[in-house]
Amino acid sequence: MATIPQPVQQTSAKAAPAAQGARTELPVQGMTCAACVRRVEKALRAAPGVQDAAVNLVTRRATITYDAQATTPAALASAIVEAGYEVPEVPSAASFPEAAPTAGLPAAPQADGGPATSPIAGVRATSTAPERPAATADVPPPRPQSSAADRAAAMDAAEQKEQRTLRRDVAIAALLTAPLLAMAMSHGAIPAFDGALARWLSLALATIVVFGPGRRFFRLAWSALRHRAADMNTLVSLGTGAAWLYSTAAVAAPGLFPHAEHGHAPPVYFEAAAAIVTFVLLGKLLETRARKRLADAVRGLVALQPKTARRVRGDAEDEVPASSLAPGDLVRVRPGERIATDGEVVDGASAVDEAMLTGESMPVDKTAGSVVLGGTLNQSGALVFRVTKTGADTALARIVEAVEQAQGSRAPIARLADVVSGVFVPVVLGVASLAFAAWLAIDPTAAGLATAVERFVAVLVIACPCALGLATPAAVAVGTGRGAELGVLVKGGAALEAASRVDTVLLDKTGTLTSGRPELTDVVDLAGHGEAALLGLVAAAERESEHPVARAIVEGARGRGVGMEPASAFRAEIGHGIEARVSGRLVRIGTAAWLKRAGVDTAALETEADRLAALGRTPSFVAVDGRLAGLVAVADRPTEEARRAVAAMDELGVEVAMVTGDRAGAAHAVADELGIRAVFAEVRPEDKARIVRDQRAAGRRVAMVGDGINDAPALAGADVGIALGSGTDIAVASADVALIRGGIAGLPVALGLARATLRTIRQNLFWAFIYNVIGIPIAAGLLYPFTGWLLSPVLASAAMSLSSVSVLTNSLRLRAFGRP
């Protein structure tokens, strides 16, 4: 494994001012392939005031960054409608700054259940730009920004409506296509299927299928043509239209074809036209069902919030919709119920399961003054809490919003599919036309014309680029959703791809690799009292102090089962030590210099104190009745989760280094214990950012992991910034990935999931490309002279539909990531 280069002094700092702008998300209905995505993006980017636009085929949402003084969401929706698509829901001008991430996280709870920091980072700002009426499109009037629950409900309703329509159309198409296939496959074996009546019946059945369930393809293809574009619907409509027109002419005017006067009826392809529509619609139905599973992560989180709550007013208690709660309301929660929204307990005591938000495996005790979070489960007792946050401001809503945005973003690798799809349809039309001309030139007879039409239709149908457009967004949606379930919040496809390439991880020490609080590590008895007796005296004296070291000693004594007598005459000198009387003895604990001023010689233990200090521990000398009695030491110890995470990083082939502002001795002690070889100690916050730049300049893909304000510059400067969910809001806002469950233990999960997602994207793209590379020549008949292989339009339509389903199914395999 390569060694991480040591930092080089560097004074220049890169300024990266954040672009300012408003951002909104619009649902888009009617998209079917990557070409649709490109057309919507092109229409949005051409609209006045739009700075950037990204459209996701899987989530059916457009994310637009725009100048709030130049345009509005309603005007942007108009641009989408004018491009030929539907916008079922238009938000108001409420937006948030481009530079302020909306992903907020719940903070780790304190002992009393209250969060250590504010649970949410990044508050959405409201634009003051005046609303302008939409230009020409029929767009619903703007209304207040919908909540996550409203968006999930709207998406559910739209998908259910689409599924009902597709089920109806598939049933009609299949019912009418079955006799067409039976007649086509009889090949004269059944006389009733081979006469003029059967041909006219075939025309009637195929016409109903093509212009009934199949009318959507013609409508969307016409919309694309009006905008001088071509997409999947263009290919399907051309294929089915050509087969239907040729066959209709053969039935209605057979005299137009050679040899008709000799009684030879020209061949018809009604079954191909109908089967193409049926199979493509069936593929769409399967696709919508698979796509519904992609949003399970968001729906699962939204479902955690109860629909109703018991509001308390005086002696009255009313059950009201949770959405009607307002800050200041009092709400009663009974055992076994979920908490409706964020608040502060004013009465009662209980234990609350917060695992779904904080990852805390044990229920957290809640008493008066404790903070409770919406969606968490009340377990043992009844609580009354005062509402502090509602709607989009709650911790649960922020997490849902972050997952939605991540699923709606694209990884940079998607550019490959975008470039290909931009030229794909024109190339396919060219190939289909060449195949038609070549087969007709080989055999200019009626049979040759029929074969040429068949090849033309087969090429158009099998080349539909559905799978190509779904390859990246499907994997990103499943990967980010699975990450949310595992406590890893990834802020978008770009962050997911960057995390998959990480080869170097820089870790902060305090609070990241360690618990962030001191623990008792050593008790050295010099006077012969015994370690337990000495610790009992020290803990009894320290119990009166609020210092973190004092609390560590007291907790350590309790953990070892050591009893503590009452103390009196407590006195503390900040920065030096404390003294108190315990069972009539004068106990002093502090620095060597402080004890020497009191006449206590510490020379006998100074060597041991130096040894412990070299191990990163903080020793304190103990004197009893004016004589040196021993020493105690505390340290911020590495956690077991950190030990496992570092080992897992090593298995992934990722180099790990520690970057900390702590003393070199303490840093190296923790590094040695964890097996970390590279250490950057006693560095200032700006040094951390410089070290990140140095590592990147050396060609490394760097992830920085931290939890404090001092880590924010380094988090922002790394290829991937990873924040602990228990950290500060500023650190979380600066990060690309947040570990909201299990602390540092989520780091290998995040990197492993990112690698698995990118691997899935590559697999999807490979199969989408290979499918077209192999399928198009066979459909065109290029291999026929050598192998005799020809692909009928019916089989081509089935294969095209299955290719999209296979991409979605492959992406859904990511839902099993991390399961035993």
Side-chain angles (χ1 to χ4, degrees), residues 311-318 330 332 384:
R311 185 168 58 195
V312 178
R313 288 184 173 175
D315 296 330
E317 181 179 308
D318 300 317
L330 296 179
R332 188 183 305 279
V384 176

Side-chain angles (χ1 to χ4, degrees), residues 378-693:
N378 183 33
Q379 292 193 329
S380 57
L383 295 173
V384 176
F385 69 92
R386 179 179 291 106
V387 175
T388 57
K389 294 180 180 179
T390 60
D393 292 330
T394 64
L396 178 61
R398 289 296 186 183
I399 291 176
V400 170
E401 186 176 7
V403 174
E404 284 180 330
Q405 290 175 6
Q407 290 188 333
S409 67
R410 289 183 298 171
I413 197 172
R415 287 192 296 266
L416 179 61
D418 290 343
V419 171
V420 171
S421 65
V423 298
F424 190 76
V425 174
V427 168
V428 169
L429 288 173
V431 171
S433 300
L434 284 175
F436 177 84
W439 280 95
L440 190 60
I442 292 171
D443 183 4
T445 65
L449 175 63
T451 302
V453 170
E454 186 180 69
R455 295 302 97 217
F456 178 78
V457 172
V459 170
L460 291 178
V461 170
I462 201 168
C464 291
C466 304
L468 196 61
L470 291 168
T472 298
V476 169
V478 180
T480 52
R482 180 58 181 154
E485 293 173 354
L486 294 172
V488 176
L489 191 61
V490 184
K491 299 179 184 177
L496 200 64
E497 182 172 341
S500 72
R501 305 179 190 278
V502 165
D503 57 23
T504 302
V505 172
L506 305 180
L507 297 167
D508 179 45
K509 182 182 79 71
T510 305
T512 300
L513 291 172
T514 65
S515 62
R517 60 182 184 276
E519 298 176 8
L520 180 67
T521 57
D522 300 271
V523 179
V524 178
D525 174 43
L526 183 66
H529 298 293
E531 290 185 1
L534 179 65
L535 181 57
L537 291 172
V538 173
E542 294 280 16
R543 188 164 51 176
E544 303 299 320
S545 173
E546 291 298 321
H547 194 278
V549 172
R551 289 200 298 268
I553 293 172
V554 172
E555 290 299 320
R558 287 174 179 162
R560 299 185 186 193
V562 174
M564 289 172 276
E565 298 292 331
S568 61
F570 175 83
R571 185 176 68 87
E573 287 191 27
I574 298 175
H576 299 287
I578 64 106
E579 67 176 33
R581 288 201 172 271
V582 181
S583 300
R585 296 181 177 183
L586 180 61
V587 180
R588 289 189 177 96
I589 308 105
T591 65
W594 186 65
L595 289 181
K596 285 176 182 177
R597 289 203 302 271
V600 178
D601 184 7
T602 60
L605 287 175
E606 286 184 1
T607 301
E608 178 66 8
D610 291 341
R611 184 187 71 82
L612 292 174
L615 294 175
R617 299 168 190 176
T618 303
S620 297
F621 293 90
V622 181
V624 178
D625 293 332
R627 290 178 175 271
L628 184 66
L631 60 78
V632 292
V634 299
D636 185 10
R637 299 292 303 279
T639 62
E640 187 58 36
E641 290 78 12
R643 207 180 311 275
R644 291 196 297 267
V646 172
M649 291 295 97
D650 189 56
E651 291 179 6
L652 288 173
V654 176
E655 187 83 10
V656 178
M658 180 193 296
V659 182
T660 178
D662 206 350
R663 303 185 316 274
H668 282 284
V670 171
D672 291 343
E673 195 168 342
L674 294 175
I676 297 175
R677 292 182 288 276
V679 177
F680 301 85
E682 301 180 24
V683 297
R684 296 171 299 176
E686 57 269 29
D687 292 329
K688 291 185 179 182
R690 175 182 51 76
I691 291 169
V692 167
R693 290 196 300 271

Side-chain angles (χ1 to χ4, degrees), residues 47-127:
V50 173
Q51 298 166 359
D52 190 28
V55 178
N56 188 284
L57 180 61
V58 172
T59 59
R60 307 295 176 95
R61 298 189 77 83
T63 303
I64 310 109
T65 305
Y66 65 98
D67 180 357
Q69 302 297 327
T71 189
T72 65
L76 298 174
S78 297
I80 296 175
V81 173
E82 288 170 0
Y85 300 91
E86 299 175 12
V87 182
E89 171 194 348
V90 183
S92 69
S95 58
F96 51 91
E98 168 73 11
T102 59
L105 301 170
Q110 295 176 339
D112 67 350
T117 62
S118 171
I120 299 301
V123 179
R124 178 170 295 199
T126 302
S127 170

